[in-house]
Amino acid sequence: MIIIKQTKPIRRRATETGKRPANLRYVYLLTAFVSIGALLFGYDQGVMGVIVADARWISLMKPANSWVTGAVVSLYDIGCLVGAMSIGFLADYCGRERTLSIACAVFVVGAVLQSASYNVTSITIGRIILGYGVGCCAGGVPLYVSEIAPAKLRGRIIGIEQMILCFGELVAFWLNYGFNYLETPDWWRIPLAIQVVPAVVLAIGCWFWVPPSPRWLVQQDRHQCAREVLARLHGDELADLQMADIAEEVAFERAVTTATWGDMLKPPVLRVTLLAMGVQFFQQITGTNSILYYTPSLFERGGITDPKTANLATGGVGIVLFVFAWVPIFLFDRLGRKTWLQTGLIGMCGAMIGITVLQWHAGSNPNSSGNYAIVAFPYLFYVFFNISWGVGSWTYATEIFPVMYRAKGNALSTASLWLSCYVVAQASPPIATAIGWGLYIIYSCICVVAFVFVRYAMVETRGKTLEEMSSLFGIESTLARRSGMGADGKGDVIHIGESTRDE
């Protein structure tokens, strides 16, 4: 019988002596490796836009109309939504890292099926299956890296993950651009099949090498193992302090709640659930994937009629995404989450207005050389998106939940993102066909609504530890009061000795 969750004891190596210092190199290495899941996410975000716009693919697949084309792209998001929701169970039962292994196994099946497809039905089924794996990875990777990151560097750690995601988008854009020059009508199968390789690497690595999250280990009553993982990451001295905080938080939450799905939709947890779902919903509904999925079509409506030129300009989007993904790694933790998100929305709204004006201009002046100026505005959009929402929404949504609610909360917030992603991907082609540049006016207005949400609904979390979130949002005091505990609810919880709480 195969045991899915990691059960092997994690002990200090015999060769290690004395107090161990913090090992940020190990933290960064783990972050970079598990972020292969983000690379898969980014690759699939970028790979289909050029393919569904290619005449040879259209000739083979024969989509009946723009709604069918939108379905091929967007039903993938439904698979992602299901995958995201499954995190709520899998990440708590199997562990964060083993969930990523399972996700990659499903991903490989979907990737093989879609790259071998010869009709719309089979490629759509393949994309739904692959989407399940991507949805698990999209939510599972930030969940894991947020739980191994030092509090003051959590934004940087998620920034590294997002940079690797953007690298995946960059690779997808330019592989598409290069393989598009092949004479064969089946050129598109190659970029769809290549992604199997990193998925297999991640599946094996997460099963045999990546350690479990220390917070998951505490939930499993494996305190000695959790302390050892923390020591390898943050050093012996800090590990003792963190273990005390994590064990106290988990013991308190066990004493006052059973952390059911129903609790996510009831006070006091409802507030953080709505904030996490809201910030992830706005990340997508402001239009990022409307640009990313359909960039060649956006340029075409903007007056760039040569497909090769449009594809080349699309590849530039990947470069902008990757270059500006480095900014949050060095700067995101220096300012508040809300500051970054509001700044990003101002720039994103301006970029959408620019796209609107230039598509309107191209409609009246189809042969004007000025139409090429439209290339600048998707680039501008992603400059502001990547320094703010690309990192900010994932960081905020993964950090605000108490530990026992975190997997379920992450599932709901990531599912919210995929739901909005599906709406954007499915609705953008027919809306653009019906009202043209009016689509980007809609996105501009949504950016304004998102700004109001960030400014007046969100609570600043910069610099807080994961164990402080329960107190910050008033969850700890409310649960303690309901359970008849004193004002210091955690202090009333009796801890069982660590020696009896491990394997």
Side-chain angles (χ1 to χ4, degrees):
M1 180 179 176
I2 298 177
I3 299 175
I4 297 178
K5 65 173 65 177
Q6 197 272 8
T7 57
K8 183 179 179 181
I10 303 171
R11 296 287 182 260
R12 184 168 184 166
R13 300 178 184 92
T15 56
E16 295 177 327
T17 57
K19 275 196 172 184
R20 290 169 290 184
N23 190 352
L24 279 180
R25 181 178 296 180
Y26 184 47
V27 175
Y28 292 144
L29 179 62
L30 281 175
T31 299
F33 182 80
V34 299
S35 292
I36 293 175
L39 183 141
L40 297 174
F41 175 17
Y43 188 92
D44 268 286
Q45 293 294 92
V47 76
M48 285 303 292
V50 171
I51 291 174
V52 298
D54 184 73
R56 288 168 289 179
W57 183 88
I58 293 171
S59 176
L60 174 65
M61 294 296 175
K62 296 180 174 60
N65 50 49
S66 60
W67 279 101
V68 175
T69 301
V72 171
V73 175
S74 63
L75 284 175
Y76 152 87
D77 297 322
I78 297 299
C80 292
L81 189 153
V82 176
M85 286 300 296
S86 71
I87 294 173
F89 167 74
L90 290 175
D92 278 341
Y93 179 75
C94 306
R96 292 25 171 165
E97 82 294 350
R98 292 292 171 91
T99 297
L100 293 176
S101 288
I102 295 168
C104 288
V106 177
F107 181 98
V108 169
V109 174
V112 170
L113 181 57
Q114 72 170 0
S115 61
S117 297
Y118 278 90
N119 55 60
V120 166
T121 301
S122 58
I123 195 170
T124 303
I125 293 172
R127 283 187 61 72
I128 292 171
I129 296 171
L130 177 140
Y132 177 90
V134 171
C136 275
C137 287
V141 172
L143 176 63
Y144 180 83
V145 299
S146 70
E147 292 190 340
I148 66 169
K152 293 182 178 180
L153 294 178
R154 198 159 51 242
R156 171 180 290 185
I157 294 300
I158 300 228
I160 292 172
E161 180 224 336
Q162 288 297 303
M163 179 272 292
I164 294 173
L165 184 155
C166 291
F167 180 68
E169 292 171 336
L170 175 67
V171 171
F173 281 133
W174 287 102
L175 281 181
N176 270 344
Y177 182 73
F179 286 121
N180 187 255
Y181 278 95
L182 296 177
E183 297 296 329
T184 173
D186 293 322
W187 68 271
W188 52 272
R189 300 184 190 279
I190 304 173
L192 291 182
I194 283 174
Q195 57 195 322
V196 168
V197 176
V200 171
V201 171
L202 181 61
I204 295 172
C206 283
W207 196 273
F208 294 104
W209 177 67
V210 173
S213 158
R215 288 166 173 86
W216 178 81
L217 287 167
V218 172
Q219 286 180 281
Q220 301 293 306
D221 291 332
R222 299 173 60 189
H223 287 206
Q224 292 179 23
C225 290
R227 198 266 178 204
E228 174 59 23
V229 173
L230 285 169
R232 293 180 186 181
L233 294 166
H234 306 147
D236 283 305
E237 188 173 332
L238 188 56
D240 291 331
L241 297 174
Q242 289 177 321
M243 268 303 302
D245 288 343
I246 296 170
E248 182 179 52
E249 180 68 23
V250 171
F252 169 75
E253 290 176 15
R254 280 178 171 167
V256 299
T257 182
T258 54
T260 65
W261 283 101
D263 291 338
M264 306 303 299
L265 303 177
K266 299 175 185 176
V269 185
L270 177 61
R271 182 188 181 191
V272 291
T273 300
L274 292 178
L275 285 174
M277 293 180 70
V279 75
Q280 291 287 54
F281 185 81
F282 277 119
Q283 197 231 46
Q284 288 298 311
I285 208 70
T286 45
T288 175
N289 277 346
S290 180
I291 296 176
L292 192 66
Y293 286 164
Y294 305 113
T295 311
S297 301
L298 182 156
F299 288 142
E300 183 181 351
R301 289 192 300 273
I304 302 177
T305 55
D306 178 36
K308 298 296 184 186
T309 303
N311 288 345
L312 183 62
T314 299
V317 169
I319 294 175
V320 171
L321 281 166
F322 179 66
V323 169
F324 283 89
W326 287 87
V327 173
I329 294 175
F330 299 102
L331 298 179
F332 190 79
D333 286 312
R334 297 189 181 185
L335 299 175
R337 308 326 192 202
K338 293 176 65 173
T339 301
W340 282 112
L341 294 176
Q342 290 174 95
T343 302
L345 284 165
I346 293 170
M348 289 155 60
C349 184
M352 287 297 187
I353 292 172
I355 293 172
T356 301
V357 171
L358 284 166
Q359 285 199 353
W360 169 80
H361 176 269
S364 305
N365 305 276
N367 298 315
S368 171
S369 59
N371 291 338
Y372 285 89
I374 197 172
V375 172
F377 287 96
Y379 294 0
L380 180 66
F381 179 92
Y382 283 117
V383 168
F384 281 94
F385 178 85
N386 257 25
I387 66 172
S388 57
W389 285 80
V391 171
S393 71
W394 288 103
T395 303
Y396 196 82
T398 55
E399 70 186 0
I400 64 175
F401 288 98
V403 62
M404 290 186 69
Y405 295 103
R406 191 166 295 130
K408 293 180 177 68
N410 192 255
L412 288 170
S413 64
T414 308
S416 172
L417 178 141
W418 287 115
L419 178 62
S420 59
C421 193
Y422 169 76
V423 171
V424 167
Q426 181 64 49
S428 288
I431 292 176
T433 300
I435 62 175
W437 49 264
L439 172 66
Y440 300 97
I441 289 291
I442 294 173
Y443 288 133
S444 301
C445 294
I446 294 173
C447 285
V448 174
V449 176
F451 187 93
V452 174
F453 170 81
V454 172
R455 188 169 186 84
Y456 296 106
M458 290 177 59
V459 177
E460 184 55 60
T461 57
R462 174 181 172 237
K464 301 290 184 182
T465 67
L466 295 179
E467 285 64 49
E468 290 175 318
M469 296 300 173
S470 182
S471 176
L472 178 66
F473 286 95
I475 297 172
E476 178 183 311
S477 59
T478 302
L479 292 177
R481 189 167 57 250
R482 285 181 183 175
S483 301
M485 295 183 179
D488 184 15
K490 289 182 182 177
D492 294 338
V493 177
I494 299 174
H495 298 285
I496 300 173
E498 180 178 307
S499 62
T500 63
R501 298 283 297 277
D502 215 328
E503 59 283 294

